[in-house]
């Protein structure tokens, strides 16, 4: 029986996996089985931490807005600000509000004061 030489498909698949794991340390970048395991683990961690990153940034924005709002007046808080924004149907998300809070605090104070005046004037509260 003649000798059958294997094709290049398996080698191409392994080299593709090795390129993914080339920055890993030790056997995680050298041995094919451990490379595949570490690739699966890395992709799972990346997927999980993308959602965690969204949560963390939202927490950071809320903390920044609350800190700046509470500097001016103790009676006014983040939750009241967001409630008044929804009452006035203003579409400012937390990311934009946090950027305004950091870059220009007076602008955020002005927004919050205008909202409070309009809400109190309209008798919505």
């Amino acid at each position: 029986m003649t000798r059958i030489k294997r094709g290049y498909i398996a080698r191409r698949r392994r080299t593709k996996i090795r390129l993914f794991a080339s920055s890993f340390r030790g056997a995680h970048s050298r041995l094919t089985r451990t490379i595949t395991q570490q690739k699966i683990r890395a992709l799972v961690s990346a997927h999980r931490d993308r959602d965690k990153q969204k949560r963390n940034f939202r927490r950071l924005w809320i903390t920044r807005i609350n800190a700046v709002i509470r500097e001016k007046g103790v009676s006014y808080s983040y939750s009241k600000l967001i409630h008044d924004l929804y009452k006035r149907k203003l579409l400012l998300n937390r990311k934009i509000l946090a950027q305004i809070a950091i870059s220009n605090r007076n602008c955020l104070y002005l927004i919050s004061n205008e909202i409070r005046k309009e809400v109190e004037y309209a008798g919505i509260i």
Side-chain angles (χ1 to χ4, degrees):
M1 187 180 279
T2 57
R3 177 172 168 244
I4 297 173
K5 289 168 52 172
R6 292 289 306 266
Y8 60 92
I9 294 168
R11 185 170 61 248
R12 194 170 56 183
R13 186 187 72 235
R14 286 190 204 107
T15 53
K16 196 178 357 177
I17 294 172
R18 283 184 197 280
L19 284 174
F20 180 85
S22 62
S23 62
F24 296 172
R25 292 182 62 178
H28 296 169
S29 66
R30 292 189 188 93
L31 303 178
T32 305
R33 284 187 183 174
T34 54
I35 286 174
T36 55
Q37 291 169 358
Q38 290 303 310
K39 179 183 178 185
I40 292 168
R41 185 172 181 170
L43 293 175
V44 166
S45 297
H47 182 265
R48 179 193 64 228
D49 291 337
R50 275 196 297 274
D51 290 337
K52 193 179 284 187
Q53 184 183 30
K54 292 178 182 75
R55 287 194 297 265
N56 288 340
F57 269 108
R58 184 183 166 98
R59 285 177 61 191
L60 177 68
W61 297 331
I62 289 171
T63 306
R64 285 178 175 171
I65 296 166
N66 198 16
V68 171
I69 286 295
R70 284 181 186 265
E71 270 183 6
K72 197 71 170 177
V74 179
S75 62
Y76 204 55
S77 65
Y78 164 81
S79 59
K80 290 179 184 174
L81 173 72
I82 295 297
H83 178 72
D84 292 344
L85 281 172
Y86 276 110
K87 287 284 187 183
R88 296 301 307 153
K89 296 186 174 103
L90 290 174
L91 300 174
L92 287 173
N93 60 10
R94 289 158 182 84
K95 180 180 177 181
I96 299 298
L97 284 172
Q99 287 177 350
I100 291 171
I102 289 175
S103 63
N104 194 356
R105 292 181 179 193
N106 292 331
C107 183
L108 187 67
Y109 294 147
L110 193 118
I111 291 170
S112 65
N113 289 335
E114 287 296 319
I115 291 169
R116 285 175 72 183
K117 286 177 188 174
E118 290 175 10
V119 169
E120 289 172 3
Y121 179 74
I124 296 174
I125 293 178

